[in-house]
Amino acid sequence: MLLVLFIIAHMAGNLHVFEGRESMNDYAHGLRTFGAPLLPHESLLWVMRIGLIAAAAAHIASSVVLTRRAVEARPVRYVSRKPAKGESRHAAATMRWGALVVLLFVVWHLLDLTFRTVNPVKDLPDAYGAVVEGFAPERWPVTVFYLIAVLALGFHLRHGVWSAVQTIAGPNNKWRKRTQVIALAVAVIVTAGFAIVPLAVTFGLVS
Amino acid sequence: MKLKLRIWRQPNPEAKGKMVSYVLDDVSEDASFLEMLDVLNEQLIADGEDPVAFDHDCREGICGACSLVIDGQPHGPQAATTTCQLHMRKFRDGDIIDIEPWRAGAFPVVKDLVVDRTAFDRIIAAGGYISAPTGTAPDAHAAPIPKQDADAAFSAAACIGCGACVAACPNGSGMLFMAAKVTHLGLMPQCQPERATRVLGMVAEHDAAGFGGCTNTGECASACPKEIGLDVIGRLNRDFRKAAARAA
Ligand code: FES
């Protein structure tokens, strides 16, 4: 829940890039100085960081438990296998390795646009510049990796959102179908919203 | 029709087992899948070989004994159909058909295609019953039950406990089976006293038996010969959440 809300907020925040350098950098600055002078510098960010790390740790830990149980529950594998036939089957089939892609991406993403270790723009307050230089056409492999990860994230949400509701709330048939539609909408909006920024930069719409 | 079969052969639980190929030259289109295997076994016996062991009983789709994974699909390619009700006209001359047992750690292979499904009986014993006194059948309509509930309970009660849900599940979970029982009992007024202990007991036994956890892939429902749907899993989750909250 926390992670999904964060993803949506993060995506919405990214769209500031379309309002120009000033708006984007103001937004980034605003996140750091939220509540100032009442609250210390970066207090909002630290609350979010701690919350997100805790949520991600719990999320990964339970997925490891489930995966280990699944492996133990089928010690001998089938010789012949058929493609999946369940609900949101493509998304369900990519939950585990798609998650690995997203995890690797998060590491890269932090090094790239948060710490700027691998980004040409080292000037931290210039978030806009880092995005524009980071997704410059000659850095196209970065953009491709980003797009693959965002797609994997979309698939993860497509199954994950309704699956979480199914497990926690236990809806009837009608509500299950509804949450599946919501999950699809969340997945499509998040994927499109994240993908549009690097694409716009690479194709020169934002510079 | 002429068929090539590749069948899992495993002489005993400890043996390693492997796929073995057989050729059948003259299979009738009207034969059921199990009758086709009967023909193979007659041929094997005539040749002095060990016949293929497989589970079957009623052969009319109601007992849940038959349990073959055919070309990677529990109960074969036809939806809402048990292996015994599958007919050879669904296949084509010259087809190669793979036949494997249910694959689950909780369902160890006894011999060839026969697996031990007593883990399901243990789940039932852990809560899938009611404590109302038995005796002569109660009068019809003695206990008023809304038609909707009666219908939903009846659909869930169609579960024949074959285990195709476990065989199909990528996690090897028995959730659909367990949820069908929880739903069919949970909707009846006579079954309310044990409603909370039932779901807690059955889930604990399910996990202890070595079945995997449910990740809502829905493979179970698409493999179920009785078309039991994911709504029963929703109901189990609802019952479990309430019962666990009360127990805590
Ligand atoms: S043999 Fe009884 S259901 Fe197939």
Side-chain angles (χ1 to χ4, degrees), chain A residues 36-197:
Chain A
L38 221 54
L39 300 172
H41 189 63
E42 292 204 349
S43 43
L44 172 69
L45 283 187
W46 275 110
V47 169
M48 302 222 331
R49 280 170 190 153
I50 292 167
L52 287 172
I53 290 171
H59 188 86
I60 293 170
S62 47
S63 77
V64 168
V65 170
L66 271 174
T67 306
R68 198 182 298 146
R69 279 183 63 189
V71 169
E72 283 166 8
R74 177 153 300 134
V76 184
R77 308 185 67 132
Y78 289 111
V79 173
S80 106
R81 298 219 263 153
K82 269 277 140 74
K85 293 199 286 189
E87 296 172 12
S88 69
R89 53 191 173 275
H90 306 297
T94 55
M95 284 309 266
R96 288 182 183 128
W97 63 261
L100 285 181
V101 173
V102 174
L103 187 66
L104 282 179
F105 169 72
V106 168
V107 174
W108 166 264
H109 191 53
L110 289 175
L111 292 177
D112 185 17
L113 290 174
T114 306
F115 305 125
R116 309 283 174 78
T117 322
V118 291
N119 192 288
V121 178
K122 305 288 179 198
D123 176 25
L124 284 184
D126 189 12
Y128 184 88
V131 169
V132 170
E133 293 300 318
F135 295 119
E138 60 277 11
R139 296 224 317 165
W140 64 268
V142 173
T143 308
V144 170
F145 178 41
Y146 183 101
L147 291 176
I148 293 172
V150 165
L151 206 63
L153 178 64
F155 271 71
H156 205 74
L157 289 170
R158 165 75 179 104
H159 183 70
V161 167
W162 82 261
S163 176
V165 175
Q166 166 84 352
T167 299
I168 296 164
N172 58 21
N173 268 336
K174 195 164 72 190
W175 278 101
R176 187 177 77 257
K177 296 286 174 210
R178 284 183 187 160
T179 53
Q180 284 171 347
V181 172
I182 293 170
L184 182 61
V186 170
V188 169
I189 291 170
V190 164
T191 308
F194 274 129
I196 198 168
V197 172

Side-chain angles (χ1 to χ4, degrees), chain B residues 34 56-66 82-85 160:
Chain B
L34 297 186
H56 61 106
D57 188 18
C58 70
R59 297 208 179 194
E60 55 184 12
I62 54 164
C63 75
C66 56
T82 55
T83 301
C84 59
Q85 293 293 294
I160 51 178

